[in-house]
Amino acid sequence: EAPPDFFPVGGLFMDTVNVILGDVDADVTVTYQIRQTASGRADAPQDVESSVWSVARTYSTPITLPAGEWEVRACAVGDEEGGLASRNLPSRNVTERYTVVACDGDACCQWRVVEARFEQVRDGLIRENASLTQDVDADRVRDDATRHEWLHSEARYLEAEHEAQEEETKAAYALGEMVRWREATRRSEQTLGALEQDMAKKLRSVLDERALIRMLNNSAASVDDGSPPEVASPHGGASS
């Protein structure tokens, strides 16, 4: 839960200042304490002593501060039926400092207070502008870091994509080589089968020639000794 807002915020004021405390949560009650940090006027709030915080009060109407040095601190406290009490999470205390000058109609005093207030507002705007500039610079640094990380990630992605494409190309080449190897193996087997058939045919032809030569030799031998010739089978062996 956010702490309550102060209006106006601390600073320099003339004669008196009415401090308004606000909170956007309807289920939250704002409590506050005040203390006087320097000698104040005689009409300072009752129960306030120098440098001692007052008892906590529930805020309902603007807090009127007379001339003097004051500190007001406040926090948000949940109601019994909901809000912060039901979660046991009171907000942090926020403290604002108010310097109230008793001008009593003195125009010079009033102008000095107005000038001091202007300087306070100006200094506050300068600090806020510096803070905004720092925030912008921090945002720019974060944006640059995010952009650098994105570019680095994009470079890694492109590198990974290139490697994947190379692997895919290698896989396609290996697959093509395997197909070509299978085709070459098939052709080699066909060629080897044809060679085996041709060799078997040539072997049968050689055996037939040898049988024929043997038959002719046997016939010649029979003629010489006058016995009937043996008839040789074309694939070897003799018949009478």
Side-chain angles (χ1 to χ4, degrees):
E1 177 69 26
D5 297 324
F6 285 72
F7 182 81
V9 296
L12 180 64
F13 302 88
M14 67 180 72
D15 297 329
T16 61
V17 60
N18 293 320
V19 181
I20 299 173
L21 304 178
D23 192 281
V24 296
D25 193 337
D27 294 329
V28 171
T29 299
V30 176
T31 62
Y32 70 94
Q33 294 174 283
I34 60 176
R35 70 175 177 181
Q36 188 174 13
T37 59
S39 299
R41 291 170 48 178
D43 58 349
Q46 296 179 359
D47 79 338
V48 174
E49 299 177 5
S50 178
S51 300
V52 177
W53 287 106
S54 69
V55 296
R57 304 172 181 175
T58 299
Y59 176 81
S60 58
T61 59
I63 305 167
T64 301
L65 299 177
E69 299 281 342
W70 302 95
E71 288 184 340
V72 180
R73 72 181 179 187
C75 69
V77 179
D79 294 337
E80 294 182 357
E81 297 180 355
L84 294 176
S86 62
R87 301 189 300 273
N88 196 25
L89 292 173
S91 74
R92 62 183 177 86
N93 284 316
V94 178
T95 302
E96 291 287 345
R97 294 175 175 81
Y98 298 87
T99 300
V100 184
V101 178
C103 288
D104 295 325
D106 185 351
C108 291
C109 174
Q110 293 174 353
W111 276 111
R112 285 196 297 271
V113 171
V114 170
E115 182 181 10
R117 285 288 296 168
F118 172 78
E119 291 178 353
Q120 286 180 348
V121 173
R122 182 197 60 193
D123 293 342
L125 291 175
I126 292 174
R127 288 193 299 271
E128 183 177 358
N129 183 65
S131 177
L132 290 175
T133 301
Q134 292 177 353
D135 292 341
V136 170
D137 292 340
D139 291 340
R140 184 180 297 109
V141 171
R142 284 194 297 269
D143 291 342
D144 291 341
T146 301
R147 187 179 300 106
H148 176 74
E149 179 63 22
W150 182 85
L151 291 174
H152 189 57
S153 299
E154 181 71 9
R156 289 200 303 267
Y157 169 77
L158 293 176
E159 182 179 359
E161 186 179 26
H162 178 68
E163 291 178 355
Q165 290 176 350
E166 286 186 346
E167 292 297 328
E168 184 177 355
T169 301
K170 292 178 181 179
Y173 175 78
L175 181 60
E177 288 296 312
M178 184 175 64
V179 171
R180 285 190 290 272
W181 178 80
R182 287 179 178 176
E183 180 64 19
T185 302
R186 185 184 66 81
R187 292 181 180 178
S188 298
E189 290 176 349
Q190 290 178 348
T191 302
L192 181 60
L195 288 174
E196 288 178 348
Q197 292 177 0
D198 187 56
M199 290 297 295
K201 185 184 297 184
K202 289 181 178 180
L203 180 59
R204 285 193 299 270
S205 177
V206 170
L207 292 176
D208 290 343
E209 289 178 359
R210 290 182 61 185
L212 180 59
I213 292 172
R214 186 181 300 111
M215 182 184 65
L216 292 175
N217 289 335
N218 290 337
S219 298
S222 297
V223 170
D224 291 338
D225 60 10
S227 60
E230 294 182 357
V231 180
S233 170
H235 297 289
S239 61
S240 55

